[in-house]
Amino acid sequence: MSEKHGFDAGAGALRASGSGPLHVGVIMDGNGRWAAARGLPRVEGHRRGLEALRRTVRAAGDLGLRYLTVYSFSRENWTRPPKEISELMGLLKYFIRNDLRTLQEAGVRVRVIGERDNLKPDIVALLEEAEARTRGNDKLDLIVAFNYGARQEIVEAARALARDAAAGLLRPQDIDEAAFGRRLQTAATPDPDLIIRTSGEMRLSNFLLWQSAYSELVFLPIYWPDFDRQALQSAIDAFHARERRFGGVGPAFVDQIDPVRVEQVKSAS
């Protein structure tokens, strides 16, 4: 890929080796507080946040990530003042109109998750255009969670299963985690290995609740407009420093397990 887009020749090395996170989710938090700390209007924080998103997409490609999911606008964000919502929608339009060509050239595929029924037609058209124009790309999937809420996504998946069961297409006893996962909007995407949240807040805020069951969580004490490649690398370094056991026992402890004691515990339970 072209150097001007920030992607180097070794972009796929981490991905190919399997040593790094395949999928990173980012809760981009703190634009307004960044602006307030500098005596600037909130919209300036959102503008700088857009610049941080550009840096992050480039860095994700450099570091060999395959999937990057960003929480751009939640269902709860509609409660913000109308002027701020209008400014956010304007920035979304600006990003798609001005950055889509760069994303296309860099091999980035754009996918959007979230509800679209209550969006204005021009916004829906832009989202669909971004997806259509980049559909054939395969270097990095940029998944934009827009008008998204994880609880609503889970409810919709449950409704889909209920409809299939009522229609006789599915037996209730056949519903398992895999069947449920196939009804989620992220069905074509592996669960995130790592979720990063900026601004120092330590919660998921209705972001990928089902998918993050075994994600490593990293909370950074910086506001989103200050996020850059170094911050992304530091979160990935923290990911590497952890031992992911998925509810099991790590290899360092296997030799310490007493099989006789395990059977005693099973018998007593």
PDB file of all heavy atoms in Angstrom, residues 85-86 89 240:
ATOM      1  N   ILE A  85     -25.883  17.520  18.127  1.00  0.00           N
ATOM      2  CA  ILE A  85     -26.206  16.391  17.253  1.00  0.00           C
ATOM      3  C   ILE A  85     -26.048  16.796  15.793  1.00  0.00           C
ATOM      4  O   ILE A  85     -25.494  16.054  14.973  1.00  0.00           O
ATOM      5  CB  ILE A  85     -27.631  15.884  17.533  1.00  0.00           C
ATOM      6  CG1 ILE A  85     -27.692  15.231  18.922  1.00  0.00           C
ATOM      7  CG2 ILE A  85     -28.073  14.892  16.457  1.00  0.00           C
ATOM      8  CD1 ILE A  85     -29.074  14.801  19.336  1.00  0.00           C
ATOM      9  N   SER A  86     -26.524  17.994  15.452  1.00  0.00           N
ATOM     10  CA  SER A  86     -26.397  18.482  14.086  1.00  0.00           C
ATOM     11  C   SER A  86     -24.930  18.595  13.685  1.00  0.00           C
ATOM     12  O   SER A  86     -24.546  18.243  12.551  1.00  0.00           O
ATOM     13  CB  SER A  86     -27.082  19.844  13.954  1.00  0.00           C
ATOM     14  OG  SER A  86     -26.919  20.375  12.654  1.00  0.00           O
ATOM     15  N   MET A  89     -23.567  15.072  13.046  1.00  0.00           N
ATOM     16  CA  MET A  89     -24.010  14.549  11.755  1.00  0.00           C
ATOM     17  C   MET A  89     -23.228  15.217  10.617  1.00  0.00           C
ATOM     18  O   MET A  89     -22.868  14.573   9.622  1.00  0.00           O
ATOM     19  CB  MET A  89     -25.512  14.789  11.554  1.00  0.00           C
ATOM     20  CG  MET A  89     -26.400  14.040  12.528  1.00  0.00           C
ATOM     21  SD  MET A  89     -26.202  12.237  12.495  1.00  0.00           S
ATOM     22  CE  MET A  89     -25.614  11.956  14.165  1.00  0.00           C
ATOM     23  N   HIS A 240      -0.637  -7.727  25.303  1.00  0.00           N
ATOM     24  CA  HIS A 240       0.379  -8.779  25.245  1.00  0.00           C
ATOM     25  C   HIS A 240       0.859  -9.204  26.634  1.00  0.00           C
ATOM     26  O   HIS A 240       1.288 -10.338  26.821  1.00  0.00           O
ATOM     27  CB  HIS A 240       1.579  -8.306  24.430  1.00  0.00           C
ATOM     28  CG  HIS A 240       1.330  -8.284  22.955  1.00  0.00           C
ATOM     29  ND1 HIS A 240       0.876  -9.379  22.261  1.00  0.00           N
ATOM     30  CD2 HIS A 240       1.469  -7.290  22.032  1.00  0.00           C
ATOM     31  CE1 HIS A 240       0.753  -9.072  20.983  1.00  0.00           C
ATOM     32  NE2 HIS A 240       1.091  -7.807  20.816  1.00  0.00           N
TER      33      HIS A 240
END
